[in-house]
């Protein structure tokens, strides 16, 4: 209740805007009963300060902040890069594995050339390729080509094999009198061709295991192409030429397969997800 | 608070903060420093300050700095503003100028309380938070300041 003792407090609270509606009404009623206090109330009202809005802080823009440029720390990217690299490697390996698994695999254990072929004719091998026999080229070489299912891991993985033999079965089926005897014959060669003296064998690509994807028919075609003898001009032994031919054959197949894998990859997009981030690799 | 909240604060509160600091410290250069420092502190603490509390935070920093500045530099020295020329009533000086002088009669803390109350319309409890005083203290100091101001105005009116 407003009294002559506390009216000043009420007036000040009123000036401070701290009175509620009831208190304000009470104060107004009290002043109405004490008009002599109206001037005092007016004086208190004059103590209320009014901000000078013309007073402004110049150059406000200097206080504004700009959004920092987004920088991505190198460290993070390094780890992302390594992760992406590892996954890409694994992905490529899986693709390759799936691809090769659906085809016949020929493993060339060794491509060898016998320096001493002229002195050491190899009968069984000559029988194996009658076309070449007609040209009187002795066959030194040889690639042990197998269907994958028939491959004997022990032989295929043995790097240092230089004694080669041919299956009896092959010797029997490949008769010199037949024309194109190998065209329809699956290549199931052999493990190994025999040479009389291992010491005389010179390995051109020693202990190198090349894996290629070829089919028997392709092998036959390749054999026929060999008749053109692209290495005829080379001043080397026929035996070495034959070795080069076989090497060329294998490399051609490998290049072909790599191209097909590359073409597959071109149509493939790998998507890696790291949490919310997604990285798409297009080849 | 985010960057955009901070920049909004600059646009909205730089002027009121400057007026407050200027009236507190009585010096324009000091007031500019206070404003600049207050916003710098807000920027540094933006992770901890909510956008709706930013204004109170700014005034809290500005209050402390202004009071410290005043205490360091001694009494306030208001720059005399030029008289109004051609005033229709030269015998009755502008109430605003009288109030400026009246304000200089107050101590730095009371002055800041009146400014926070009248300029910014803060309630007692809000002023208590900004000035780190109790609500009762704020009320008592404010009432005391009002009386001082009122007495000054009345005395000037009586003289004139």
């Amino acid at each position: 209740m407003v009294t002559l003792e506390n009216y000043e407090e009420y007036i000040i609270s009123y000036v401070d805007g701290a009175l509620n509606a009831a208190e304000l009404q009470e104060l107004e009623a009290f002043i109405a009963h004490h008009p002599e206090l109206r001037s005092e109330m007016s004086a208190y009202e004059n103590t209320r300060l009014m901000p000078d809005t013309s007073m402004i802080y110049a150059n406000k823009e200097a206080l504004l902040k700009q959004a920092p440029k987004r920088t991505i720390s190198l460290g993070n990217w390094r780890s992302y890069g390594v992760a992406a690299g590892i996954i890409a490697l694994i992905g490529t390996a899986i693709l390759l594995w799936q691809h090769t698994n659906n085809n016949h695999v020929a493993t060339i254990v060794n491509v060898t050339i016998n320096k001493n072929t002229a002195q050491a004719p190899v009968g069984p091998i000559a029988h194996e390729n009658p076309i070449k026999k007609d040209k009187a080229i002795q066959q030194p070489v040889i690639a042990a080509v197998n269907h994958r299912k028939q491959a004997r891991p022990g032989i295929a993985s043995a790097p240092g094999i230089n004694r080669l033999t041919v299956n009896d079965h092959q010797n029997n089926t490949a008769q010199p009198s037949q024309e194109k005897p190998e065209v329809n014959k699956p290549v199931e060669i052999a493990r190994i061709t025999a040479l009389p003296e291992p010491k005389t064998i010179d390995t051109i690509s020693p202990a190198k295991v090349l894996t290629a994807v070829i089919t028997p028919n392709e092998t036959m075609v390749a054999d026929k192409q060999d008749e053109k003898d692209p290495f005829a001009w080379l001043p080397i032994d026929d035996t070495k030429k034959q070795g080069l031919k076989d090497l060329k054959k294998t490399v051609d197949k490998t290049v072909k397969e790599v191209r097909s894998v590359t073409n597959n990859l071109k149509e493939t997009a790998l998507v890696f997800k790291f949490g919310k981030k997604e990285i798409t690799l297009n080849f | 608070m985010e960057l955009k909240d901070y920049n909004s604060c600059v646009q909205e509160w730089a002027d009121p903060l400057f007026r407050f600091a200027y009236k507190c410290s009585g010096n324009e250069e000091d007031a500019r420093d206070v404003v600049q420092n207050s916003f710098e502190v807000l920027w540094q603490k933006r992770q901890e300050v909510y956008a709706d509390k930013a204004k109170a935070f700014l005034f809290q920093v500005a209050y402390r700095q202004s009071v410290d500045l005043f205490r360091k530099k001694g009494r306030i020295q208001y720059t005399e503003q030029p008289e109004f020329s051609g005033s229709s009533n030269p015998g009755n000086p502008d109430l605003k100028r009288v109030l400026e002088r009246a304000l200089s009669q107050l101590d730095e803390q009371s002055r800041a309380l009146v400014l926070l109350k009248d300029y910014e319309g803060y309630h007692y409890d809000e002023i208590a938070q900004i000035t780190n005083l109790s609500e009762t203290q704020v009320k008592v100091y404010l009432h005391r300041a009002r009386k001082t101001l009122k007495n000054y105005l009345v005395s000037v009116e009586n003289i004139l």
Side-chain angles (χ1 to χ4, degrees):
Chain A
M1 184 180 175
V2 185
T3 64
L4 282 171
E5 284 74 36
N6 67 8
Y7 76 93
E8 212 170 354
E9 291 297 310
Y10 270 83
I11 290 177
I12 293 172
S13 293
Y14 157 70
V15 172
D16 282 346
L19 290 186
N20 59 37
E23 290 168 332
L24 188 60
Q25 213 170 0
E26 216 178 318
L27 178 64
E28 283 172 349
F30 182 79
I31 297 295
H33 280 91
H34 301 275
E36 72 277 8
L37 300 178
R38 196 168 291 279
S39 62
E40 193 177 355
M41 188 170 170
S42 174
Y44 269 115
E45 283 176 325
N46 284 337
T47 65
R48 197 184 281 152
L49 303 173
M50 295 297 288
D52 182 359
T53 52
S54 67
M55 190 184 288
I56 58 165
Y57 184 86
N59 197 18
K60 233 180 258 105
E61 291 70 25
L63 298 174
L64 295 172
K65 301 286 183 185
Q66 302 295 323
K69 288 178 182 176
R70 282 196 168 186
T71 53
I72 299 165
S73 72
L74 190 63
N76 282 346
W77 272 103
R78 211 175 269 165
S79 57
Y80 287 150
V82 169
I86 290 169
I87 292 166
L89 255 173
I90 294 168
T92 309
I94 290 169
L95 276 175
L96 277 171
W97 183 80
Q98 286 176 340
H99 193 80
T100 55
N101 213 22
N102 294 331
N103 290 280
H104 301 294
V105 175
T107 304
I108 295 178
V109 178
N110 275 324
V111 178
T112 59
I113 290 175
N114 187 355
K115 282 179 178 177
N116 302 322
T117 307
Q119 293 80 16
V122 186
I125 296 173
H127 284 296
E128 187 188 356
N129 195 338
I131 295 169
K132 285 171 184 152
K133 190 188 173 189
D134 293 341
K135 291 184 176 181
I137 297 172
Q138 291 178 335
Q139 303 299 311
V141 170
I142 289 329
V145 180
N146 274 329
H147 286 173
R148 188 184 178 91
K149 290 175 184 174
Q150 294 170 330
R152 293 168 59 178
I155 292 171
S157 60
I161 293 175
N162 45 19
R163 179 180 291 276
L164 305 175
T165 61
V166 175
N167 274 351
D168 290 339
H169 170 72
Q170 274 189 311
N171 291 338
N172 295 332
T173 56
Q175 295 301 323
S177 59
Q178 292 176 335
E179 286 185 14
K180 297 183 182 179
E182 295 175 342
V183 169
N184 294 320
K185 187 190 82 174
V187 177
E188 311 175 337
I189 301 186
R191 332 173 210 148
I192 301 178
T193 56
L195 292 172
E197 293 178 8
K199 288 178 183 176
T200 61
I201 292 175
D202 183 22
T203 302
I204 282 182
S205 56
K208 187 91 178 182
V209 177
L210 298 176
T211 303
V213 184
I214 56 173
T215 63
N217 286 338
E218 283 171 346
T219 309
M220 294 307 107
V221 173
D223 282 344
K224 281 201 270 183
Q225 286 173 346
D226 281 349
E227 293 180 63
K228 294 175 183 174
D229 195 3
F231 301 110
W233 56 277
L234 283 173
I236 55 173
D237 293 345
D238 288 345
T239 54
K240 289 187 178 179
K241 285 179 187 172
Q242 185 57 42
L244 283 172
K245 281 179 202 167
D246 285 302
L247 190 61
K248 179 178 176 295
K249 208 189 302 176
T250 308
V251 169
D252 286 347
K253 303 278 176 216
T254 309
V255 166
K256 194 177 171 187
E257 285 310 312
V258 168
R259 278 180 186 157
S260 79
V261 170
T262 310
N263 287 336
N264 283 342
L265 279 175
K266 278 176 185 171
E267 297 166 2
T268 307
L270 291 177
V271 180
F272 302 110
K273 284 187 178 177
F274 301 97
K276 291 178 182 174
K277 295 187 177 179
E278 196 171 274
I279 296 174
T280 305
L281 293 180
N282 290 310
F283 296 93
Chain B
M1 64 188 298
E2 303 294 326
L3 171 72
K4 64 178 175 57
D5 299 321
Y6 169 85
N7 283 337
S8 298
C9 280
V10 171
Q11 297 293 355
E12 199 168 357
W13 304 121
D15 291 340
L17 204 63
F18 175 66
R19 286 175 209 132
F20 170 76
Y22 182 57
K23 295 298 179 188
C24 276
S25 65
N27 182 289
E28 187 178 344
E29 280 309 305
D30 287 347
R32 286 190 66 85
D33 288 345
V34 167
V35 171
Q36 201 174 334
N37 290 338
S38 300
F39 276 106
E40 197 51 47
V41 173
L42 176 66
W43 177 250
Q44 286 166 7
K45 304 250 181 180
R46 64 186 182 283
Q47 305 293 347
E48 306 160 26
V49 181
Y50 292 110
D52 59 340
K53 301 285 182 191
K55 185 193 173 189
F57 181 87
L58 283 168
F59 276 93
Q60 194 173 17
V61 177
Y63 167 79
R64 285 181 194 157
Q65 291 193 358
S66 298
V67 169
D68 285 350
L69 265 175
F70 181 83
R71 286 174 181 167
K72 206 184 290 178
K73 292 195 171 184
R75 289 202 63 80
I76 198 163
Q77 294 291 324
Y78 281 113
T79 316
E80 280 292 323
Q81 293 180 352
E83 297 284 338
F84 282 96
S85 58
S87 171
S88 58
N89 190 1
N92 190 6
D94 185 55
L95 175 64
K96 205 173 174 184
R97 285 188 55 239
V98 177
L99 258 184
E100 294 282 348
R101 290 179 185 166
L103 206 56
S104 67
Q105 306 297 309
L106 301 176
D107 64 86
E108 65 278 7
Q109 190 177 60
S110 298
R111 190 163 52 246
L113 296 181
V114 175
L115 290 168
L116 288 171
K117 181 80 218 164
D118 289 351
Y119 275 21
E120 303 307 325
Y122 278 124
H123 297 298
Y124 294 146
D125 57 336
E126 293 169 322
I127 296 172
Q129 278 192 321
I130 290 170
T131 56
N132 207 25
L133 297 168
S134 73
E135 196 175 330
T136 307
Q137 280 176 309
V138 169
K139 193 173 177 180
V140 168
Y141 291 158
L142 259 178
H143 281 212
R144 201 180 291 160
R146 290 279 181 216
K147 279 186 185 174
T148 304
L149 291 175
K150 189 264 292 182
N151 290 338
Y152 186 85
L153 292 182
V154 170
S155 66
V156 169
E157 278 176 10
N158 288 340
I159 291 169
L160 298 171

